[in-house]
Amino acid sequence: MNVTIEVNGQLTSRAVPDDRFLCDLLRDDLGLIGTKVGCREGVCGSCTVLLDERPVRSCLLLAAQADGRRVGTIEGLATDGVLHPVQQAFVDHGALQCGFCTSGMVMSAVAFLDDEPHPDREQISEALAGNLCRCTGYVKVVEAVASVAATEQPAASDGPGR
Ligand code: FES
Ligand code: FES
């Protein structure tokens, strides 16, 4: 079937087999290899991307299911060569080693902070529980995400007199 998906702000159309998964469309057809594929069973979270701003396992989602929708990958986070604050925080806090889990972690964290800009560490740990890391462990990851949360300014509507 033919699918049209907005990937990182750019519309793209492709003829894909009905059984093609979104992760394979992204990596093999579009060359967006920042999205990693680990287990292919929905367990490790390394393939996490955003679908209409919500985190999804791209190894479980058919490309056809993304037809007409927006997909965000790690490649779309930086703006004009400046890393997204969550990406920068991972670097600053040494929250990665091999990096295999990192794009999935970052995409999950971005979506989570969008919903919950001022989480505590427990909430961050829970939010990232579906993203497995085999080398760094989770302490630095949680620290990185917490540092972004700490620098987020309260929305204007949170202030007095509104
Ligand atoms: S590769 Fe998709 S969850 Fe592991
Ligand atoms: S940094 Fe290697 S798996 Fe997480």
Side-chain angles (χ1 to χ4, degrees):
M1 72 173 285
N2 224 52
V3 296
T4 300
I5 306 172
E6 186 182 310
V7 180
N8 298 332
Q10 289 205 317
L11 269 188
T12 182
S13 291
R14 282 279 190 290
V16 294
D18 291 349
D19 60 356
R20 190 143 183 82
F21 285 99
L22 180 60
C23 61
D24 298 319
L25 172 79
L26 293 171
R27 289 176 53 83
D28 299 341
D29 298 344
L30 303 182
L32 297 172
I33 58 172
T35 298
K36 304 301 183 199
V37 179
C39 65
R40 278 194 184 270
E41 292 181 349
V43 175
C44 72
S46 63
C47 66
T48 303
V49 299
L50 303 185
L51 183 71
D52 293 338
E53 281 75 52
R54 304 309 314 148
V56 293
R57 310 287 212 217
S58 62
C59 71
L60 296 182
L61 197 82
L62 293 170
Q65 292 174 289
D67 187 35
R69 304 177 71 177
R70 293 186 305 279
V71 170
T73 73
I74 193 78
E75 288 88 349
L77 283 187
T79 308
D80 296 332
V82 178
L83 292 179
H84 184 283
V86 174
Q87 291 176 298
Q88 188 62 54
F90 270 61
V91 174
D92 293 344
H93 289 261
L96 64 149
Q97 286 184 37
C98 78
F100 195 86
C101 68
T102 306
S103 52
M105 288 262 193
V106 168
M107 300 313 286
S108 293
V110 166
F112 169 63
L113 288 173
D114 226 28
D115 282 349
E116 181 56 76
H118 306 292
D120 59 32
R121 285 175 187 238
E122 199 176 320
Q123 289 173 302
I124 296 169
S125 293
E126 278 172 18
L128 298 180
N131 291 86
L132 307 183
C133 176
R134 292 202 153 188
C135 35
T136 301
Y138 302 95
V139 174
K140 290 181 177 180
V141 170
V142 171
E143 276 173 10
V145 177
S147 76
V148 178
T151 55
E152 291 279 334
Q153 298 302 310
S157 57
D158 293 347
R162 299 246 176 191

